[in-house]
Amino acid sequence: MSSLITEAEISHETEFVWLEDIEQLDYVRQSLDRLPTRRGRPAYHRDGRMVGFAILGPTAKPSRASGTFRRRVFWLLPHDRDAQPDGLYAKSAPAEAVDPRTLQPRVKGYKTERSEGGPPSTAMQELGITLPL
């Protein structure tokens, strides 16, 4: 879950590989997965689909216990808002969800009005930022 991801755990990220246009997504789910490599597209074993993943730099060290690397994976489930706009998450977002526009390597990302399914804030309105609701 995003609240459990620490800056230390993502400190070796160098880039993200997005498999979809994140401008079209109100939120993505993020998790830290144990993966056998620093780079490359990881295997995906959840329902739904992988939307993106992190690439780690050469200074990232594997776990001494498992030999794996902790890398962020971004994903969506079949009942998420992009597939079911009037469904379970029409006006909310899952706990591990963040607005993909707030994500960068080594930055956890956060929820926004858009990711929560609500109207834009006053600040967003003043800046002329409009959201597809």
Side-chain angles (χ1 to χ4, degrees):
M1 291 187 188
S2 61
S3 61
L4 300 178
I5 294 174
T6 67
E7 290 181 15
E9 291 175 308
I10 60 176
S11 65
H12 294 283
E13 292 177 342
T14 59
E15 66 181 290
F16 292 149
V17 174
W18 292 110
L19 305 172
E20 296 186 22
D21 180 3
I22 60 171
E23 291 300 317
Q24 304 303 313
L25 300 172
D26 293 342
Y27 64 81
V28 295
R29 296 172 186 251
Q30 70 176 343
S31 59
L32 273 173
D33 292 358
R34 293 202 174 274
L35 301 170
T37 63
R38 291 180 185 93
R39 307 179 64 79
R41 183 176 180 157
Y44 185 73
H45 303 291
R46 295 178 178 91
D47 286 343
R49 66 191 194 274
M50 181 171 27
V51 177
F53 55 90
I55 301 291
L56 303 181
T59 59
K61 302 283 187 245
S63 162
R64 288 187 290 188
S66 67
T68 58
F69 297 88
R70 304 247 311 165
R71 287 173 50 196
R72 272 195 291 182
V73 174
F74 307 102
W75 46 285
L76 291 167
L77 292 176
H79 60 273
D80 279 324
R81 191 181 314 144
D82 71 303
Q84 295 184 9
D86 297 322
L88 176 63
Y89 294 113
K91 297 293 182 195
S92 65
E96 67 273 14
V98 294
D99 185 331
R101 290 155 209 78
T102 67
L103 289 165
Q104 294 178 37
R106 298 176 301 282
V107 176
K108 293 194 297 186
Y110 55 90
K111 286 187 161 109
T112 63
E113 291 89 352
R114 177 184 180 127
S115 66
E116 288 292 328
S121 66
T122 303
M124 291 176 76
Q125 291 172 1
E126 289 172 359
L127 292 171
I129 300 171
T130 58
L131 307 176
L133 295 176

